[in-house]
Amino acid sequence: MSGWDWLVLAATLGFIVGYGTWKTRRQRSLESYFRGDSSQKWWTIGISVMATQASAITFISTPGQAYESGLGFIQFYFGLPLAMIFVSVFFIPLYYKYKVYTAYEYIERRFDLKSRLLVSLLFLMQRGLQAGITIYAPAIILCTILGWNLYVTIVAIGLLVIVYTVSGGTRAVSQTQLFQMAVMIGGMLVAIGITLSLLPDGVGFAQALTVAGASAKLQAIDWRIDFNERYTIWSGLLGGFFLSLSYFGTDQSQVGRYLGGKSLTDSRLGLLFNGLFKIPMQVMILLAGILVYVFFVFTPAPIYFNPTLDRSALQARSEMAQLEADYAVRVAARREAAFALIDPTAPPLAHETYRQHDRALAALRQHYRQAVAAEYGSTYATDSDYIFLSYILEWFPVGLIGLLLAVILSASMSSTAGELNALSSATVVDFLLRLRRQPLSESRQVRLSKGITLLWGLVAIGFACTASLVDNLIQAINIMGSLFYGTILGVFLVGISWPRITGSQVFWSAVASEAVIIGLYLTTDLGFLWYNAIACGLMFGATGLLSLLSRKGNR
Amino acid sequence: MEPEEQPVPVFGTWRGWYLLVVGMLLLDVLLLLGLEALFG
């Protein structure tokens, strides 16, 4: 990284943090700190909702995923627009009606205190751990590739977020997210433009798509009904719908974004804005990855992208050296086939020839990764997270590398800020203020909220620093999140749709549903996208049964 | 009228926006299918 890159990176992040802190420096009441004085316009809410969801991993891993398997991942988002409509129709009016600070306040209004504390606690456990991972996951990849110190990187990202989130609360989070989103979208458009400019003469956008299409990278939609296939249109529509419903309807890190709306209309339009633009934004990120694939069709592609292994030690082994040599020969052959493919007078067999080379290369790469994993451990079995970053570092001009790193760090900061703000509001409003006997003055409430935000920030940093010590921790936390989500959503859906159900019935049903979901996780291989739908079904079944039993008992 | 005084709007008043979002989803799917048909 050159001095110019450091300058671009520091100036971009410094401006965002400085502006956000200065603009929102006066916070005098809890209303102002956690709901931004209910002054946010719909477009601020929409951008804030999108920026909270877009984590650094979105920008690091998604292009790598497209490099490997094309556009198919987009199906995961098909349920999202439908969930936005559902949340706008059924959830937001209730939050406005009861004037809540957290989504879980609604649960007490509808059921009772113990149910509210249960779902709020589930949220705090899951999101508290996730906040650490939001910082750790990009930091470990950046440090691996750039040689930065892991602990310094984690502490720097964490402290930058803490500065404005503690000082300005919800308004600081959304003000900074406007700029962070502009950096993210602008940076990805620049990445697409630069990649197109790096393609050989005579290869434009249409030719690049022809090459990508020939290797099946543009097959976005899978119509098969197959429960073992992770991304199909059906798992995307149904599983993605329930996942988005839990995330946007009941997760405080998202609910907190739209509760600060100027009016019910602004909150709704903000979510619908997300429903309109989420899929196009994800297509753009996937497209960047597909263009990187096309770039490496015309430029010799490495067989393996993870830079942590000593390449010379790998090449010294005869099996690896042979695989690399075979790969280089095939890469040259595929390049020739690609030029033949985009030639207007291409022979009819050009597609098939290209496909054969491409499949052979994919098989060689897979073989190589298996050999590396057998030697060094299963964490080295995949290298797709390193594709996009290592490509940028090697091929992008000076200055723009800094911009793309600003994209990744902005994404990490925007989602961490939303999480810290939500963790603080749930801790303060659902527990500390709710369970306290004497009321606190406005100014002490704000001071308490700032202190708790700081505390959660320090917990996230501390957790991120220790994350590398535990094997497969990220995976464990992600699984834990998906195990709780469905039950929380089930509690809300029963509350909204079934007036007869009481607090105790929903509480014990939630405990039972959680036990069944954990049992399913331990005994089956079911995809995590399905847990949300199943938990909702269980919640309706169990509350219905308890209601029936209590009515029989009363007779 | 203050936001908190607003009555809970009925589904019908928002039909246009909801149709727009569903329409966009369908358009997205159609565009992706078109992309595959053209270049795939």
Side-chain angles (χ1 to χ4, degrees), chain A residues 295-417:
Chain A
F295 170 80
F296 279 124
V297 166
F298 294 105
T299 306
I303 191 168
Y304 188 69
F305 287 89
N306 185 336
T308 44
L309 291 181
D310 180 7
R311 291 302 293 263
S312 54
L314 281 176
Q315 282 158 348
R317 299 187 50 213
S318 62
E319 185 195 6
M320 300 301 203
Q322 187 57 50
L323 280 171
E324 289 200 23
D326 291 349
Y327 196 79
V329 172
R330 275 284 182 176
V331 161
R334 182 178 66 174
R335 186 170 187 269
E336 290 310 308
F339 276 120
L341 185 71
I342 55 177
D343 188 340
T345 58
L349 280 175
H351 260 84
E352 197 41 49
T353 312
Y354 180 86
R355 258 187 213 134
Q356 277 173 4
H357 290 309
D358 198 59
R359 272 192 222 116
L361 282 168
L364 281 170
R365 210 165 109 69
Q366 184 58 20
H367 193 162
Y368 192 91
R369 283 186 293 198
Q370 282 167 351
V372 171
E375 184 72 22
Y376 296 95
S378 61
T379 44
Y380 292 98
T382 115
D383 61 343
S384 57
D385 285 349
Y386 296 96
I387 294 174
F388 191 55
L389 261 179
S390 55
Y391 157 74
I392 287 169
L393 288 174
E394 191 169 347
W395 295 97
F396 269 36
V398 168
L400 291 183
I401 294 175
L403 176 68
L404 266 292
L405 290 178
V407 169
I408 289 161
L409 291 175
S410 290
S412 172
M413 288 163 64
S414 68
S415 37
T416 309

Side-chain angles (χ1 to χ4, degrees), chain A residues 19 21 31 86 115 122 137 140 143 162 167-168 189 218 231 321 326 352 368 375 392 430 434 495 508 512 525 552:
Chain A
Y19 178 83
T21 313
E31 161 74 18
F86 195 96
S115 303
L122 286 178
I140 183 77
C143 293
I162 286 175
S167 138
L189 288 173
L218 299 181
Y231 305 119
D326 291 349
E352 197 41 49
Y368 192 91
E375 184 72 22
I392 287 169
D430 291 332
R434 176 64 187 83
W508 291 113
D525 289 330
K552 277 193 175 166

Side-chain angles (χ1 to χ4, degrees), chain A residues 3 5 25 56 100 207 247 256 317 327 384 506 523:
Chain A
D5 291 316
R25 61 197 180 283
V100 296
Q207 288 78 12
Y247 181 52
R317 299 187 50 213
Y327 196 79
S384 57
V506 89
T523 55

Side-chain angles (χ1 to χ4, degrees), chain A residues 71 74 78 81 85 88-89 93 99 206 209-210 213 218-221 262-265 268-269 272 276 279-280, chain B residues 3-4 6-11 13-14 17-22 24-25 28-30 32-33 35-36 39-40:
Chain A
L71 277 178
I74 197 64
F78 283 170
I85 295 175
S88 294
V89 174
K99 295 181 203 161
L209 288 183
T210 306
L218 299 181
Q219 274 177 18
I221 297 177
K262 206 172 175 185
S263 67
L264 179 63
T265 306
R268 283 175 149 175
L269 279 181
L272 295 176
L276 281 174
I279 293 176
Chain B
E4 56 268 27
Q6 283 183 348
V8 178
V10 289
F11 181 79
T13 55
W14 281 85
W17 281 103
Y18 300 142
L19 282 176
L20 182 66
V21 174
V22 174
M24 184 73 171
L25 172 63
D28 286 333
V29 173
L30 283 176
L32 289 167
L33 286 173
L35 198 67
E36 189 186 325
F39 296 101

Side-chain angles (χ1 to χ4, degrees), chain A residues 43 93 110 121 133 166 169 199 225 243 265 276 319 381 407 419 461 477 539:
Chain A
W43 49 273
R110 170 62 186 84
L121 188 69
I133 297 302
V166 168
L199 295 175
I225 299 175
L243 184 68
T265 306
L276 281 174
E319 185 195 6
V407 169
E419 286 172 334
I461 291 176
I477 288 168
M539 279 301 294

Side-chain angles (χ1 to χ4, degrees), chain A residues 238-295:
Chain A
L238 197 66
F241 172 76
F242 278 97
L243 184 68
S244 301
L245 209 54
S246 321
Y247 181 52
F248 292 99
T250 73
D251 190 309
Q252 180 62 22
S253 56
Q254 281 298 352
V255 175
R257 308 282 70 74
Y258 57 78
L259 279 185
K262 206 172 175 185
S263 67
L264 179 63
T265 306
D266 283 277
S267 296
R268 283 175 149 175
L269 279 181
L271 272 191
L272 295 176
F273 177 89
N274 182 39
L276 281 174
F277 294 113
K278 184 72 192 178
I279 293 176
M281 184 180 119
Q282 288 300 130
V283 169
M284 182 183 81
I285 299 171
L286 288 166
L287 190 66
I290 287 174
L291 289 176
V292 173
Y293 161 81
V294 176
F295 170 80

